[in-house]
Amino acid sequence: MGAARGRRVLALGLALLVVLRACSGQGEDGGGSDAPAAAATAPMEEKERAALYAAIEGFVGKGWNGSGLYPDPCGWSPIQGVSCDLFNGLWYPTAISIGPVLDNSLQCAPDARFSPQLFDLRRLRTLSFYSCFPASNPTAIPAASWEKLSGSLETLEFRTNPGLAGAIPASLGRLASLQSLVLVENNLTGPVPAELGALLKLRRLVLSGNGLSGPIPATLGNARHDELLIVDLSKNHLTGSLPSSLGGLRGLLKMDLSNNLLQGSIPPELGRLRNLTLLDLRNNSLTGGLPQFVQGMASLQDLLLSNNPLGGSLPPSGWEALGDLATLDLSNVGLTGAIPESMAALAGLRYLALDHNRLTGTVPARLAQLPNIGALYLNGNNLTGALEFAPGFYQRMGRRFASWDNPGLCYNVAAVDAAHAPSGVVVCKDLQEPSVPQDGGRKPEASSSLVAASSAVGFSAARGGGFWSVVAVQGTVAAFLGSVLL
């Protein structure tokens, strides 16, 4: 019996030893041995760390205790909006993004400012801030020290800052590595610096929504800009003519110069832009007629020229070359003559606006056969004769078809039921009799006024960004045009 008891004691002791070892192992893996590792900071130059703290403090305010909150900003205590990369065994901040994007994002203080230490971040590739400078804190972009970042900075983006005022510094032209310059919806004034033409690696130039004035620099069309994909200078006060040098941007995909004060004719050199998908020149004072060279730009998807005193007439042929064209906005451009039946060859067309011109003649019946058409505006012209569209066309289009304000236009009541009759157009038999249009002469509320291109960047963005990014059309047009440019 004594031997059996001894065996039981020995087994109990062995079991206790196993439990103790297991507990000890949990302590080693769980957190006890990790605490010293967590306390160790990633290798980083102290000068670089101090410059990072000072740069962020300038934006978010002096009450921000970077060294206390984030003692290892590239390691175990990362800062939201800051990214780091390893170079020669040391960590360096490479991206700083500030603004109310996420709940825990760094946000600017009411007295935000640019700190000189910002330019000591030798490996900085991206600097962006959003909604950082309110109107109550007018601040200028620093004019000096950008050359310190010339070898590293690739992206510079300042968005939606009513207080970011003054001129765009010419010194930004020294950022030799810059690929994206986006200064959108700020309060910047003065000219577009000609020095920006020296940025040969630039892929995106978006300066929309500011108060910039003066001409478009011819240097922006430098033939060496073979990487430039997006140019958006819209919503400014730019004057003068379009420089012919823009035709040298052979790789360009999107050009948006809308909502400015540009004058003169559209230079034929733009016809060299064989990769262009968006050309938006709306709301300027351009003249000289619709350039025929656009029919050779086979990549065009959106051609937007409305609200310019262009004059001239629609080319009678050649439209079949624009097989990718989805949006054609030629409203209020002073067009005369007839609508050519050859426009029915635009197989990809979804949106066609020819309203508020001086077009005459009949409406080609083949326009209703466009396979992808979703909006057709012909109102406000001098078109005559009977509309020969099938009843199903009116039913499908609804208010996205407009033909009112054409005194000589009518429709055949025998072919169209009253529920789907074109609004504001009389029955053909009533042309010789005093009568009022359908709906008691009241014009529908739908409009062809295009607010944004269907492939815009936005550049926006982002738009955008984008880089040019959303489609917005007054009335019901917004329901059918999809998002895209930015």
Side-chain angles (χ1 to χ4, degrees):
M1 180 172 294
R5 182 176 180 181
R7 287 194 296 271
R8 287 196 296 272
V9 171
L10 179 60
L12 182 61
L14 290 173
L16 181 60
L17 181 61
V18 170
V19 172
L20 290 174
R21 286 183 175 179
C23 293
S24 174
Q26 287 180 358
E28 291 173 0
D29 296 335
S33 63
D34 281 351
T41 60
M44 186 178 182
E45 290 185 11
E46 188 55 40
K47 180 181 178 181
E48 193 79 9
R49 195 193 324 267
L52 175 64
Y53 292 149
I56 295 178
E57 184 181 272
F59 292 122
V60 303
K62 292 185 177 180
W64 186 75
N65 181 12
S67 58
L69 294 172
Y70 308 98
D72 187 17
C74 291
W76 58 271
S77 59
I79 304 173
Q80 176 66 38
V82 175
S83 298
C84 300
D85 282 329
L86 199 62
F87 296 91
N88 298 323
L90 296 175
W91 287 99
Y92 291 86
T94 55
I96 297 178
S97 179
I98 298 176
V101 179
L102 302 174
D103 290 341
N104 58 342
S105 295
L106 293 171
Q107 299 189 29
C108 284
D111 58 348
R113 59 181 178 83
F114 288 90
S115 170
Q117 286 84 352
L118 174 67
F119 302 100
D120 293 332
L121 299 172
R122 292 175 290 168
R123 302 282 187 172
L124 192 63
R125 291 176 179 166
T126 298
L127 174 62
S128 66
F129 55 75
Y130 163 70
S131 192
C132 193
F133 295 100
S136 58
N137 181 26
T139 304
I141 299 175
S145 300
W146 289 104
E147 66 278 359
K148 294 182 179 181
L149 303 178
S150 63
S152 64
L153 198 63
E154 298 175 354
T155 299
L156 183 62
E157 299 190 2
F158 302 158
R159 298 176 181 268
T160 316
N161 298 278
L164 193 64
I168 298 176
S171 55
L172 295 186
R174 301 173 188 169
L175 294 170
S177 300
L178 202 63
Q179 298 180 20
S180 178
L181 178 59
V182 178
L183 308 176
V184 173
E185 294 180 353
N186 301 297
N187 196 22
L188 299 171
T189 55
V192 177
E195 288 80 0
L196 298 184
L199 302 175
L200 300 184
K201 293 186 178 181
L202 206 60
R203 300 173 64 85
R204 179 169 59 163
L205 176 62
V206 183
L207 307 178
S208 62
N210 287 284
L212 301 174
S213 57
I216 297 173
T219 55
L220 294 185
N222 192 320
R224 292 182 295 169
H225 285 141
D226 52 0
E227 297 187 27
L228 194 56
L229 302 177
I230 296 175
V231 171
D232 183 356
L233 307 180
S234 63
K235 300 178 183 176
N236 282 290
H237 307 301
L238 299 176
T239 56
S241 59
L242 297 177
S244 59
S245 59
L246 293 176
L249 303 175
R250 302 298 178 87
L252 201 65
L253 298 178
K254 302 178 187 296
M255 180 187 293
D256 187 352
L257 306 177
S258 63
N259 297 284
N260 279 290
L261 304 171
L262 299 171
Q263 298 175 326
S265 59
I266 301 173
E269 287 80 4
L270 294 189
R272 302 174 187 168
L273 305 178
R274 299 299 183 179
N275 298 314
L276 201 67
T277 62
L278 167 72
L279 179 59
D280 190 350
L281 302 176
R282 291 172 297 162
N283 302 314
N284 281 288
S285 298
L286 299 172
T287 56
L290 177 65
Q292 287 195 343
F293 68 77
V294 299
Q295 293 181 312
M297 304 173 74
S299 296
L300 269 181
Q301 298 175 16
D302 301 282
L303 178 58
L304 311 172
L305 303 177
S306 60
N307 299 316
N308 281 286
L310 286 173
S313 59
L314 292 166
S317 61
W319 295 100
E320 66 278 358
L322 297 175
D324 293 335
L325 193 65
T327 306
L328 179 58
D329 185 3
L330 298 175
S331 62
N332 193 31
V333 296
L335 290 172
T336 59
I339 301 174
E341 188 170 348
S342 60
M343 294 189 75
L346 293 168
L349 201 61
R350 293 186 293 153
Y351 179 98
L352 176 59
L354 300 174
D355 56 286
H356 296 96
N357 285 292
R358 298 191 296 275
L359 296 170
T360 55
T362 59
V363 178
R366 287 183 58 200
L367 289 183
Q369 300 173 17
L370 288 167
N372 295 298
I373 195 68
L376 176 59
Y377 294 95
L378 306 175
N379 51 296
N381 282 287
N382 296 314
L383 299 170
T384 57
L387 288 170
E388 301 291 344
F389 298 154
F393 172 81
Y394 301 110
Q395 184 175 359
R396 175 170 59 90
M397 298 288 282
R399 290 183 176 271
R400 288 171 290 149
F401 172 69
S403 56
W404 59 84
D405 279 351
N406 285 283
L409 201 61
C410 65
Y411 74 96
N412 188 347
V413 70
V416 183
D417 62 88
H420 301 107
S423 299
V425 180
V426 300
V427 176
C428 286
K429 67 180 181 62
D430 293 334
L431 277 179
Q432 305 300 323
E433 305 173 8
S435 62
V436 295
Q438 298 294 314
D439 301 330
R442 178 176 55 85
K443 299 173 187 176
E445 297 177 359
S447 169
S448 71
S449 179
L450 202 61
V451 178
S454 64
S455 295
V457 204
F459 254 189
S460 261
R463 349 309 136 274
F467 74 78
W468 302 0
S469 33
V470 177
V471 169
V473 180
Q474 292 180 0
T476 58
V477 181
F480 94 90
L481 282 178
S483 62
V484 194
L485 154 257
L486 235 184

